[in-house]
Amino acid sequence: MSVGTLPPRETVLVVEDPRFQARRHAVEADQRRHRRNRLLALAAVLLGLLTLFGLSRSPIVAVNQIQVLGGEMSGPEGVKAASGIRKGDQMMDLDLAAARQRLEALPWVRSARVARAWPATVRIVVTERRPVARIADEDGQRWWMADATGRLLDAVPAPPESLVQIDGVVSGGKPGVQLAPRAAAALHLISHFPAEVASRTVGLRFAGADEIQLVINPTDDPAAAAGAPLHGVSPGCPKLDVPPPLAVAELGMVSGLDEKLLALGAVLTQVDNRDLATIDVRVPNKPVVTRRASCQ
């Protein structure tokens, strides 16, 4: 061997047990199978998502019908238009909360619920407000109906006579507008009348800065005071400014109104209602009754 020459590399033979070789091949095959299964699962998920997206864009799940339950005063078509939902809209794209807010902005609507009814129907349930009083418009040709919260609902030529008249006029009124706090408080009071007071109250007046009067019909005949004004000449009783058979209930300040209304109801059901002029319940445990014959 010459200097600088490496000896030839020896070849080493490794003898492998066939069982190890078979095990290694089985492990490699199992790994390949797991990789293939994961790829197949991922492909299935992607295919499912693409299918769902395609279905969500298809006419199969587009809005085909809009059902309206309630909303008599607003009208079914008015409710549908206000919701902002149209036939053909994709069911998945609907903003139900925004639709509910738009509906509750309608003058007559107190609350609304909007829901999907798969596959292609939207269901709208509307609960409307109830008018409790009427207030004259400044044009002298219409009456505004208002609910117990002081919200103006609509202006009509002739509202139901059963609605309590609030003394005064509405200036610049629009449907859905909220009345001033004093008027709203009066409307809230009307909505809490005991039955015996509600059936006999014709109107509500403000006396001074913070005092309330009720104009009442003491008789058991509602027609006896139909159309009677809240102010008028009272023959034989100059201290009274309502025409017969109407009388005035003095409630005074707005504090303690529940007790005053209960006292007024007790008087109306327990005393002779003929020829009544005033019922003063400003001190509810000591009501004072005067009659037309003695009010000179």
Side-chain angles (χ1 to χ4, degrees):
M1 180 171 62
S2 61
V3 178
T5 302
L6 295 175
R9 180 179 294 179
E10 296 181 0
T11 301
V12 179
L13 297 178
V14 178
V15 178
E16 185 177 8
D17 191 322
R19 291 174 300 178
F20 292 158
Q21 186 177 18
R23 176 58 181 166
R24 185 176 67 253
H25 290 164
V27 169
E28 292 174 350
D30 190 52
Q31 290 175 342
R32 289 194 297 272
R33 183 170 61 254
H34 281 302
R35 284 195 296 270
R36 184 175 63 252
N37 289 342
R38 284 197 294 269
L39 290 173
L40 289 174
L42 179 61
V45 170
L46 291 175
L47 180 61
L49 291 175
L50 289 173
T51 302
L52 289 175
F53 180 78
L55 285 174
S56 70
R57 302 292 100 187
S58 73
I60 298 176
V61 290
V63 177
N64 184 52
Q65 184 180 15
I66 303 174
Q67 297 177 346
V68 177
L69 303 177
E72 178 182 354
M73 300 304 298
S74 302
E77 295 306 317
V79 169
K80 292 177 184 178
S83 72
I85 298 173
R86 304 290 183 268
K87 287 186 177 181
D89 290 349
Q90 295 297 322
M91 293 283 283
M92 292 295 294
D93 293 342
L94 297 179
D95 189 339
L96 303 185
R100 177 180 58 80
Q101 291 176 353
R102 288 191 291 268
L103 288 168
E104 291 179 350
L106 291 174
W108 280 94
V109 175
R110 179 167 62 86
S111 63
R113 184 167 60 86
V114 186
R116 298 179 182 89
W118 296 97
T121 299
V122 173
R123 185 170 294 118
I124 301 173
V125 181
V126 170
T127 301
E128 291 191 315
R129 299 171 183 270
R130 183 177 66 87
V132 298
R134 56 191 171 107
I135 312 171
D137 187 71
E138 59 184 345
D139 63 11
Q141 304 297 319
R142 302 178 303 167
W143 291 89
W144 283 99
M145 294 185 290
D147 77 343
T149 68
R151 186 185 183 99
L152 294 181
L153 304 177
D154 199 5
V156 294
E161 288 291 337
S162 59
L163 296 182
V164 174
Q165 180 180 337
I166 302 293
D167 200 20
V169 297
V170 174
S171 299
K174 294 180 180 179
V177 168
Q178 200 74 19
L179 292 174
R182 188 166 86 152
L187 291 160
H188 180 73
L189 170 67
I190 292 170
S191 68
H192 288 78
F193 278 169
E196 56 273 14
V197 174
S199 62
R200 291 177 170 86
T201 299
V202 176
L204 184 148
R205 308 190 304 188
F206 296 102
D210 196 26
E211 293 192 358
I212 294 176
Q213 294 177 338
L214 298 183
V215 179
I216 60 174
N217 171 21
T219 71
D220 294 326
D221 181 12
L230 299 190
H231 301 273
V233 178
S234 181
C237 193
K239 293 182 180 180
L240 191 63
D241 65 343
V242 294
L246 300 182
V248 174
E250 297 279 1
L251 300 183
M253 307 293 281
V254 295
S255 59
L257 285 175
D258 289 341
E259 293 80 4
K260 295 172 184 178
L261 289 173
L262 290 175
L264 177 59
V267 171
L268 290 172
T269 55
Q270 295 176 17
V271 305
D272 184 356
N273 291 331
R274 292 174 297 179
D275 200 34
L276 281 181
T278 64
I279 304 174
D280 190 336
V281 291
R282 286 176 289 187
V283 181
N285 60 345
K286 294 181 180 180
V288 178
V289 176
T290 62
R291 300 188 179 275
R292 288 180 176 271
S294 61
C295 71
Q296 297 290 342

